[in-house]
Amino acid sequence: MPFGYVSPAQAMRDKAEYARQGIARGRSCVTLQYDGGILLMAPNPSSALHKISEIYDRIAFAAVGRYNEYENLRKAGITYADITGYQFDRVDVTARGIANYYAQNLGTIFTENLKPFEVEIVVAEVGTRPETDQIYRITFDGSVTDEPGFVAFGGQADQVSAALKERYSPGMSLTEAFTAALAALSASGNGERSEVAATQLEVAILDRTRDHRAFRRIRAARLEELIAESRAAEAKSAPEAAADAPASPPAPPADSGPATGPDAGSTDRGGGLGGANGTPPNPL
C-alpha cells in the first residue's frame, strides 16, 4: 500500500491522465459509413500487428493504444461472440452487446487496477440498410458512445475528426469515403505525410452486399488503385475550389484628410505584450 492518503477523485484523475497520454502517443484511426458499408482505416506500417480485425459475421473491431492490451480485448470479444452465437443464435450477436461487454471490462480495470488500459476501441456492425449500421466507441474508462456516420479516435483525434467532418457526407461511394479518410489522417498534427503509401495503411471494409461474412481487407492492387483514385480526386477538386473562391475586395481609397494618431517618432504602445519599446516578453 502506498504511504499517505490520496482521495478517490484524485486517483481517478491521475489514472485518466495517464491513459490519455499513452493513447495520444499513437496515431489516429477513422471509421466511417459509405453507401456500401463501413470503412475502417488506420496508419499501420506493420503487416503482422493488426489494429483492425473481424469479430463476428458482420462486426469489426478497431483499436489504438498499447497493442498487447487491445489484442487481449480483441480475443476476449471473439470468445464472447462465439459463445453467445453458439448458446443462442447468430443474430443475437450484435455490436451493441460486444460494446457493452468491452465497457464492463474496461470500467472494472479502470476502477480496480492500479494501471488502466491505454486503449480506445471501436466496434462497428454493418446492417442491411445504411440506417441500421452501428458504430460504437469505447474509451479506457468504459464509457460507450454511439457514433453516427463517422468517428476518429486515438492520437490527435480532435484534429482528424474536424478534418473528416468537413469532407464527410452520407451516401458517399467507397472511393469518396477513402479520399475523405485519407485526407483526414494526413491532417496536420497526426504525424502523417501528404503522400501516403499503401504499405503504411491498414484498410478494411464491412461490405453490405456480402451474405455471411461481411469483413474484407483491402490490400495490394486494390489499395493502390484507391490511393490513385483519391489523389486524382484531390487534384481535380483543387482547381474547382480555387475557381469558386470569392475575389478579394478592392483596396480602400487613400485618405487625404489630416493625419491622426500619435506624433511621428512616438508610440502608443503600453507595457503589455510588446512592452513600451516593442520587444517581445519572456515566454511563459
Side-chain angles (χ1 to χ4, degrees):
M1 295 294 292
F3 294 100
Y5 171 76
V6 178
S7 67
Q10 183 62 45
M12 293 299 105
R13 284 193 294 267
D14 291 343
K15 288 183 179 182
E17 183 63 23
Y18 175 85
R20 290 192 188 99
Q21 290 177 356
I23 295 168
R25 286 193 291 267
R27 287 177 288 183
S28 301
C29 301
V30 295
T31 301
L32 66 158
Q33 291 177 276
Y34 68 99
D35 59 350
I38 297 176
L39 171 69
L40 304 98
M41 183 185 297
N44 186 10
S46 174
S47 60
L49 308 180
H50 294 303
K51 296 182 178 181
I52 302 169
S53 63
E54 180 183 22
I55 290 287
Y56 210 60
D57 295 345
R58 306 179 71 83
I59 303 173
F61 168 97
V64 295
R66 191 173 290 275
Y67 174 78
N68 65 314
E69 293 177 348
Y70 67 68
E71 179 66 8
N72 288 333
L73 291 171
R74 182 188 71 86
K75 293 179 179 178
I78 292 174
T79 302
Y80 166 84
D82 285 341
I83 292 175
T84 303
Y86 179 77
Q87 288 181 337
F88 301 100
D89 192 89
R90 300 188 75 88
V91 297
D92 294 324
V93 181
T94 63
R96 179 181 299 177
I98 296 174
N100 288 333
Y101 172 77
Y102 282 143
Q104 293 170 13
N105 281 271
L106 285 173
T108 301
I109 292 169
F110 182 78
T111 304
E112 298 182 357
N113 289 15
L114 183 62
K115 176 197 172 300
F117 274 18
E118 302 167 57
V119 297
E120 280 193 28
I121 295 172
V122 160
V123 178
E125 179 179 3
V126 66
T128 56
R129 302 182 310 277
E131 55 270 20
T132 60
D133 292 344
Q134 300 177 33
I135 301 175
Y136 296 99
R137 178 183 182 181
I138 307 99
T139 57
F140 56 87
D141 60 351
S143 301
V144 183
T145 54
D146 184 6
E147 304 286 350
F150 67 90
V151 60
F153 57 104
Q156 304 296 324
D158 293 339
Q159 297 180 14
V160 176
S161 181
L164 190 58
K165 185 177 181 181
E166 295 177 356
R167 296 172 174 269
Y168 175 79
S169 61
M172 294 190 300
S173 65
L174 177 58
T175 301
E176 293 171 340
F178 184 91
T179 302
L182 187 61
L185 289 175
S186 303
S188 175
N190 194 42
E192 296 299 314
R193 299 189 300 271
S194 57
E195 297 293 332
V196 180
T199 55
Q200 298 174 309
L201 290 175
E202 182 179 359
V203 184
I205 61 172
L206 290 172
D207 191 346
R208 196 186 319 279
T209 60
R210 302 187 74 176
D211 293 332
H212 184 50
R213 297 179 62 181
F215 183 86
R216 180 165 61 90
R217 294 191 183 275
I218 298 180
R219 297 173 175 165
R222 179 53 177 155
L223 185 54
E224 293 282 2
E225 181 182 348
L226 283 173
I227 292 176
E229 292 175 358
S230 172
R231 291 171 180 169
E234 288 287 334
K236 181 180 179 181
S237 62
E240 295 177 355
D244 294 338
S248 58
D255 190 1
S256 59
T260 60
D263 296 334
S266 65
T267 178
D268 60 349
R269 291 187 177 183
L273 292 177
N277 57 358
T279 59
N282 293 328
L284 297 177

